[in-house]
Amino acid sequence: DQRGDHQALFRRVTLALGPDRNAHIPTDMRIAAMKSADDPALAALYFHYGRYLLIAASRPGGQPANLQGLWNDSLTPPWGAKMTTNINLQMNYWLAESGDLWETQVPLWDLIGDLQESGARTEKIHYNARGWVLHHNTDLWRATTPVDGAWGMWPMGQAWLANQMWDHYRFSGDRVFLDSCAYPAMKGAVRFVLDTLVQAPAGTRFAGRLVTNPSFSPENSYFLNGKRSQLTYAATMDLELIDELFAAFGEASRLLGRDAALRAEAVATRKRLPPLQVGARGQLQEWIEDYREAEPENRHVSHLYALYPGQAISPRVTPKLAAAARRTLELRGDGGTGWSKAWKIAFWARLLDGDHAHKMLQSLLAESTLPNMFDTHPPFQIDGNFGAAAAIAEMLLQSDDNSITLLPALPSAWPDGRVTGLRARGGVTVDIAWRGGQLTEAALAGNRAHTVSVQNAARRVAIPLPSARTVRLDGQLRPVSIP
Ligand code: FUC
């Protein structure tokens, strides 16, 4: 039955951000009231609504959620109700991992399977390379060629999607998925990059290094000799996507015991990419040269891919680059479309600045949300709904392969709350409760036996997780025995 089908997914996760004092007020009025007063429980509702929309829009056997999810009501919808792949399609699925809705990604994986066929044809014709390519847009017909304008030439969609598939492996540990679904997509994406990188010629800043060319930083332009330019080589986002792709492929091929020669080539090539750079204003440079942006406040922040959803930049591991990323966000400003604000919530969460993340969320709810709670670009575009819901989870829980951080970016506006059922990398399900801004208890359940490093505020402890048994911790991260 439909209700049971929905509840089986929806009820895996709960979130309360303090008492819902405004529960009796209609949602459209609560959204309107956000302009003058904060409403933490509305943020919790927005999170639940994001999960509800994803469950409704994207199920096995169907199509992936497009720019309008499946709620397009027009024959000439904005941007053709397509799936834009330089942020929007990916953002639609960020919530699927942390929000424990992995099944909603099956249509995305089916799409990626199809795109490997059409993308191999496009690649042969346009680049005479192996593997597959996806430019900045696709649709029901699995288009992979450049479309729309110069920005449509951005040829990195396959790398981003392949990285996202690897991330599902990191969350789930599902070897069958890695072997049959993710690995072929990753391998084809690696081949494209290996076949199309070129050596930067003498006289350029990184002569002898391997660079992408042509390249484009979605969707900004810059001034070169007083003229506005878009195309470039080795845009920062390319370098970040490739670095992550090659690292992931190296690990995946080792795990599966395959393609040793290709792995060696990827590992060697990774070392020959130009480094990320900090520009004159202290910002993470968007391009290979410290060009002046044509739109300093452009809604895209492509060069912060490595901060989120990527993980190569973090305050703990790469503090200098994290500081540069922060400067980039300050220079970019807090404006933007709905989806841009959603991305910025996640960026600030990764920078461990809960109050700034919360400020962005408030702006999204007050300025970029329609009365029925749909995100607005404007016009209505659903990526912001999914992206912001994922970003709320990122404020409460962050994880990488070996560590889990509880309440990494808790804003002062949410002193009390409880979340249950969030997912962390390493196959762990996490519950967290807090009061007065402090952790009071947590519960972790692993899908296999391993030890994780659990962190909250200044504390960090190693917690052995047995398989199929929940470990409870108190506010000091001490294991609590269950009577
Ligand atoms: C990209 C964005 C736009 C819009 C469109 C669907 O081109 O730059 O803001 O989200 O996709």
Side-chain angles (χ1 to χ4, degrees):
D1 89 297
Q2 285 185 352
R3 186 188 295 199
D5 170 76
H6 167 81
Q7 288 179 349
L9 298 172
F10 189 78
R11 293 192 170 177
R12 289 175 184 166
V13 177
T14 67
L15 171 65
L17 297 172
D20 193 354
R21 293 201 182 85
N22 297 328
H24 60 286
I25 301 174
T27 311
D28 56 341
M29 291 172 69
R30 288 177 76 171
I31 292 168
M34 269 305 287
K35 287 194 173 57
S36 45
D38 187 30
D39 184 349
L42 188 68
L45 187 64
Y46 194 88
F47 172 80
H48 287 132
Y49 185 58
R51 292 186 73 252
Y52 165 82
L53 291 173
L54 190 58
I55 291 167
S58 186
R59 302 299 291 279
Q63 293 296 322
N66 61 40
L67 291 169
Q68 284 81 23
L70 42 73
W71 292 276
N72 162 50
D73 65 352
S74 162
L75 287 173
T76 53
W79 290 288
K82 290 191 186 186
M83 294 173 273
T84 310
T85 56
N86 65 13
I87 176 69
N88 318 85
L89 175 64
Q90 290 88 345
M91 181 179 282
N92 278 359
Y93 287 92
W94 289 345
L95 177 62
E97 298 298 342
S98 53
D100 201 0
L101 294 173
W102 70 266
E103 298 91 332
T104 61
Q105 293 180 90
V106 173
L108 177 68
W109 298 334
D110 290 346
L111 169 78
I112 295 170
D114 294 345
L115 290 172
Q116 286 169 67
E117 281 181 39
S118 54
R121 277 200 301 279
T122 299
E123 187 172 56
K124 190 91 201 105
I125 295 164
H126 285 249
Y127 302 89
N128 194 23
R130 302 163 301 167
W132 65 293
V133 67
L134 171 62
H135 294 86
H136 100 128
N137 222 333
T138 191
D139 58 16
L140 200 51
W141 291 273
R142 282 41 179 159
T144 51
T145 50
V147 289
D148 297 345
W151 64 93
M153 281 178 61
W154 179 77
M156 299 302 289
Q158 75 292 346
W160 193 335
L161 290 174
N163 288 347
Q164 199 148 320
M165 290 180 110
W166 170 246
D167 211 27
H168 176 64
Y169 173 74
R170 296 170 72 206
F171 270 93
S172 64
D174 184 344
R175 280 268 197 149
V176 176
F177 166 81
L178 178 65
D179 188 359
S180 58
C181 204
Y183 190 74
M186 292 166 72
K187 182 175 168 180
V190 166
R191 280 198 154 145
F192 169 75
V193 175
L194 288 174
D195 284 1
T196 53
L197 284 175
V198 292
Q199 194 165 311
T204 57
R205 179 176 297 270
F206 291 103
R209 300 276 187 132
L210 293 173
V211 296
T212 52
N213 183 38
S215 165
F216 171 68
S217 184
E219 293 184 21
N220 211 351
S221 42
Y222 59 91
F223 289 108
L224 180 60
N225 305 327
K227 259 185 56 196
R228 206 175 157 135
S229 306
Q230 286 191 305
L231 294 184
T232 181
Y233 71 98
T236 299
M237 187 195 222
D238 291 357
L239 305 176
E240 295 172 335
L241 283 165
I242 295 171
D243 181 68
E244 187 181 320
L245 175 69
F246 282 8
F249 179 73
E251 241 179 284
S253 67
R254 209 169 341 100
L255 273 168
L256 298 172
R258 281 202 223 136
D259 299 309
L262 193 64
R263 171 167 72 241
E265 202 183 335
V267 168
T269 304
R270 188 173 174 223
K271 295 191 190 122
R272 293 185 59 196
L273 298 170
L276 302 187
Q277 301 177 75
V278 178
R281 288 162 294 162
Q283 88 287 13
L284 191 78
Q285 238 172 257
E286 183 161 1
W287 296 281
I288 194 92
E289 302 286 344
D290 197 2
Y291 299 126
R292 196 157 60 81
E293 301 94 339
E295 291 173 61
E297 297 181 2
N298 188 289
R299 60 202 176 283
H300 291 260
V301 204
S302 299
H303 46 317
L304 295 200
Y305 170 86
L307 179 64
Y308 186 94
Q311 294 193 310
I313 297 178
S314 79
R316 289 189 190 116
V317 182
T318 59
K320 285 199 183 114
L321 290 176
R326 168 180 275 270
R327 187 78 192 114
T328 289
L329 286 173
E330 288 164 0
L331 293 166
R332 218 57 157 198
D334 290 339
T337 56
W339 65 256
S340 172
K341 289 175 185 169
W343 203 358
K344 287 170 185 167
I345 303 168
F347 287 141
W348 285 107
R350 282 279 171 90
L351 289 173
L352 312 177
D353 189 332
D355 284 338
H356 206 126
H358 177 258
K359 186 179 168 203
M360 293 304 318
L361 176 60
Q362 262 183 308
S363 152
L364 176 90
L365 288 168
E367 318 287 345
S368 308
T369 301
L370 297 169
N372 71 344
M373 232 181 195
F374 271 160
D375 169 69
T376 182
H377 184 287
F380 162 53
Q381 195 169 293
I382 207 159
D383 40 15
N385 282 104
F386 297 135
I392 290 169
E394 204 65 27
M395 292 165 75
L396 303 174
L397 174 72
Q398 292 178 23
S399 64
D400 56 29
D401 292 321
N402 318 302
S403 75
I404 290 177
T405 306
L406 309 174
L407 307 178
L410 185 69
S412 44
W414 298 348
D416 306 322
R418 171 180 287 273
V419 64
T420 66
L422 289 182
R423 297 278 293 171
R425 291 177 185 79
V428 187
T429 304
V430 182
D431 303 347
I432 310 168
W434 66 98
R435 189 155 266 293
Q438 306 293 323
L439 177 74
T440 53
E441 53 179 312
L444 288 85
N447 66 1
R448 63 193 156 85
H450 67 300
T451 296
V452 287
S453 164
V454 180
Q455 173 147 357
N456 168 250
R459 284 197 186 82
R460 180 190 281 273
V461 292
I463 305 284
L465 295 180
S467 76
R469 196 167 64 75
T470 300
V471 172
R472 291 180 195 283
L473 306 175
D474 68 11
Q476 273 74 51
L477 302 181
R478 289 178 303 225
V480 182
S481 53
I482 309 157

